[in-house]
Amino acid sequence: MTVPYWVADSVFYQIFPDRFANGDPTNDPQNVHPWGNPPTLWDFQGGDFLGIMHHFDYLLDLGITAIYLNPIFQSTSNHRYNTSDYYKIDPKLGDIKDFQNLLDLAHRNNIRIIIDGVFNHCGRGFFAFNDLLENEDHSPFRKWFHTTSFPLEAFTPGEAINYTAWWKIKSLPKFNTDNPQVRQYIFDVARYWVELGVDGWRLDVPNEIDDDAFWQEFRHVVTSVNEDAYLLGEIWTADPRWANDKHFDGLINYPLRDALLRLLQTGTLDMPHFANKVETLLSTYPRENVYSMYVPLGTHDTERLFTKVRCNTQKAKLAFLFQFAYPGAPAIYYGDELGLQGEKDPDCRRAFPWNQSSWNLELYYWVKTLISLRKRLPSLRKGEYISVFTDNSNGHYIFSRSLGDEQVVIAMNASDHPQHIDIPVSKLGWQDGRQVLDLFTNKRVNVFGNILPIDLPPWSGTWLS
Ligand code: CA
């Protein structure tokens, strides 16, 4: 096995550090906005590591087992994708001691933490780019970036003209990763934080470093420190180039999210296309990589789930039900478990609402139940995925996960109508007279005539075993 053993068993929780919890007002920037203000491109709301530690009981109670932190290194923005210093924790989040305390707290509770690695580009405050701005072609870092003329037009309005930048955004100069010094610098950073104890890297836009040898070396550097470190690539498409034993263990499974959310928007994706999509994704990569995918319903780069389903709690519950039954580690974007809303960024980066009066408790308890069932049932994490039955005209999709003697049938009704479904179970080897338990209602149903008869309300699903 070339993937970390723990990923398939994990439930991830993604935290945008400025917006989860503010545990230390003394490190807030002077112009901090009140907690819960509508997010803007510029504002800080004061979230930090101490806030995460103060609310660690919330995470433990929810049941998650791994955390993905958006960037934490010193930077000038609230998202911190424009790194100033790859070796320094942003003082607005705490210091290295606070980060180590967070890692220790997590590890004591068997929770792993992966962090965001932004190595395609840096910020204008990064020392080598700063040197280049000051010294132009006399700079020793002349070849660390892609420049065409001096002085660099790094602060005038408009697109980057005389140096390469991510999407021509002047604040994000692109590294020249063909330069061995730059490669070494990045590999040293990667090694440093894994030696410090982080459990892996989520790699930002890694396809823009279009260099297989670079990523193979990156992988070698990281796994030589910790062979169980998780390498997660931010790849938005289904592309087998990137998930294998020479690149990343898993990718962010955005194509799965897209198919699922389109299914939930009536009329945008019919059931056969949905089934084909989600089943094709299972064979796009080596099996161990499929089971090491990071499976989100939303991230800091997308509309939030509850907004996407137009605040329909049933649809949100159905989305989570499918996510938690699909191979790969389900990932919860902080606040999605209680129906936090948000349009595309920056709106999807709202502050976590600690006042419970705004929580969607039906959704919250549903997610908690899904987490605990998934942890209890190995078949949902490691079992085979077997397509059982698709009914396009009525919006039914039935599949099973099976491992050894354990079999779970997942039934979905993606329609506006209550449905009676006669599930054909001969494919599963279920004999007449077998008693099957609905894992949510604890009701028992008998197989009769090779059929398992169930009833599902509109936009709902269940797990049967
Ligand atoms: Ca703070």
Side-chain angles (χ1 to χ4, degrees):
M1 195 164 76
T2 67
V3 297
Y5 68 92
W6 53 273
V7 174
D9 289 329
S10 297
V11 177
F12 271 89
Y13 195 78
Q14 180 187 346
I15 291 178
F16 190 83
D18 188 59
R19 305 288 158 74
F20 184 63
N22 186 355
D24 181 4
T26 67
N27 61 21
D28 295 353
Q30 288 185 2
N31 57 351
V32 69
H33 283 215
W35 194 255
N37 254 28
T40 68
L41 285 174
W42 313 105
D43 69 300
F44 288 88
Q45 300 202 15
D48 48 38
F49 292 147
L50 218 56
I52 300 173
M53 285 188 269
H54 287 168
H55 288 92
F56 219 75
D57 284 349
Y58 173 83
L59 300 175
L60 295 175
D61 181 58
L62 184 61
I64 60 101
T65 67
I67 295 170
Y68 153 41
L69 291 173
N70 282 110
I72 57 173
F73 305 143
Q74 183 160 42
S75 168
T76 56
S77 64
N78 56 30
H79 52 72
R80 303 186 174 88
Y81 279 94
N82 53 336
T83 316
S84 303
D85 187 339
Y86 289 86
Y87 283 103
K88 191 173 178 199
I89 295 294
D90 195 305
K92 296 184 283 298
L93 296 175
D95 58 21
I96 186 71
K97 195 96 197 104
D98 296 320
F99 183 58
Q100 277 174 320
N101 288 340
L102 173 61
L103 277 177
D104 291 345
L105 177 63
H107 290 163
R108 276 202 303 281
N109 288 285
N110 296 317
I111 289 186
R112 291 181 171 81
I113 295 185
I114 67 166
I115 60 174
D116 220 314
V118 190
F119 299 123
N120 175 64
H121 48 265
C122 58
R124 283 176 295 206
F126 181 64
F127 76 94
F129 193 73
N130 181 252
D131 195 289
L132 198 54
L133 285 171
E134 303 257 3
N135 297 313
E136 304 186 349
D137 53 358
H138 305 290
S139 168
F141 303 102
R142 173 85 178 73
K143 297 206 168 123
W144 278 44
F145 299 92
H146 305 271
T147 57
T148 51
S149 64
F150 292 102
L152 295 180
E153 292 189 43
F155 292 97
T156 47
E159 296 183 333
I161 305 163
N162 58 357
Y163 62 95
T164 307
W166 185 71
W167 284 44
K168 299 187 178 179
I169 298 170
K170 288 187 172 176
S171 58
L172 302 174
K174 180 175 166 63
F175 280 118
N176 174 14
T177 48
D178 291 335
N179 179 340
Q181 289 178 326
V182 172
R183 289 168 101 90
Q184 195 55 51
Y185 181 85
I186 292 172
F187 297 152
D188 288 346
V189 170
R191 182 186 297 108
Y192 175 83
W193 291 100
V194 175
E195 281 176 347
L196 198 95
V198 305
D199 298 288
W201 286 102
R202 175 270 191 193
L203 294 152
D204 190 60
V205 296
N207 52 321
E208 306 212 13
I209 301 178
D210 185 5
D211 182 337
D212 295 323
F214 177 92
W215 289 114
Q216 194 168 352
E217 177 73 8
F218 188 98
R219 181 178 182 86
H220 174 73
V221 165
V222 168
T223 55
S224 63
V225 177
N226 176 3
E227 62 177 357
D228 295 322
Y230 181 37
L231 293 178
L232 170 61
E234 187 214 8
I235 302 290
W236 286 68
T237 54
D239 186 346
R241 172 180 171 189
W242 296 104
N244 50 57
D245 60 3
K246 296 192 170 50
H247 294 80
F248 312 123
D249 303 305
L251 311 178
I252 301 182
N253 204 338
Y254 281 116
L256 185 83
R257 170 187 180 268
D258 293 344
L260 179 58
L261 297 186
R262 283 175 63 202
L263 178 74
L264 297 177
Q265 289 173 294
T266 313
T268 44
L269 188 69
D270 64 17
M271 196 49 98
H273 284 95
F274 170 77
N276 181 265
K277 201 128 208 163
V278 304
E279 288 164 19
T280 302
L281 284 168
L282 296 170
S283 54
T284 302
Y285 310 94
R287 187 187 192 277
E288 62 179 12
N289 300 104
V290 169
Y291 284 65
S292 301
M293 292 279 153
Y294 178 101
V295 183
L297 297 179
T299 69
H300 63 292
D301 283 328
T302 70
E303 278 176 295
R304 278 188 178 271
L305 170 68
F306 207 56
T307 299
K308 196 80 187 167
V309 297
R310 301 196 176 163
C311 304
N312 181 319
T313 299
Q314 295 318 113
K315 288 186 176 180
K317 287 170 69 176
L318 182 56
F320 278 114
L321 175 129
F322 179 78
Q323 177 197 27
F324 273 80
Y326 192 81
I332 300 165
Y333 182 47
Y334 77 103
D336 277 359
E337 71 276 20
L338 39 84
L340 186 59
Q341 295 179 52
E343 305 286 342
K344 275 199 165 175
D345 68 276
D347 192 45
C348 58
R349 301 165 182 181
R350 294 185 194 181
F352 190 97
W354 288 106
N355 182 344
Q356 296 189 11
S357 64
S358 66
W359 293 12
N360 182 328
L361 289 175
E362 183 183 349
L363 188 59
Y364 169 75
Y365 286 114
W366 179 253
V367 172
K368 263 188 90 161
T369 302
L370 292 173
I371 293 174
S372 86
L373 283 173
R374 183 168 166 114
K375 285 160 89 169
R376 187 154 68 71
L377 297 163
S379 62
L380 293 175
R381 295 178 264 124
K382 295 186 167 157
E384 294 305 317
Y385 185 109
I386 301 160
S387 178
V388 175
F389 179 56
T390 305
D391 177 341
N392 182 40
S393 49
N394 293 308
H396 305 160
Y397 182 58
I398 320 286
F399 64 102
S400 82
R401 300 294 309 276
S402 108
L403 186 70
D405 293 339
E406 186 181 289
Q407 277 175 311
V408 178
V409 166
I410 296 91
M412 297 166 67
N413 171 15
S415 82
D416 289 322
H417 307 288
Q419 305 270 358
H420 176 83
I421 309 174
D422 285 329
I423 303 175
V425 291
S426 43
K427 205 174 184 178
L428 302 170
W430 287 7
Q431 308 288 333
D432 281 9
R434 180 185 177 120
Q435 279 207 326
V436 178
L437 184 69
D438 182 308
L439 297 174
F440 297 100
T441 63
N442 286 321
K443 283 187 188 149
R444 287 178 190 280
V445 195
N446 284 319
V447 175
F448 182 74
N450 292 322
I451 294 293
L452 181 68
I454 63 162
D455 290 284
L456 288 176
W459 300 107
S460 76
T462 195
W463 293 347
L464 304 137
S465 185

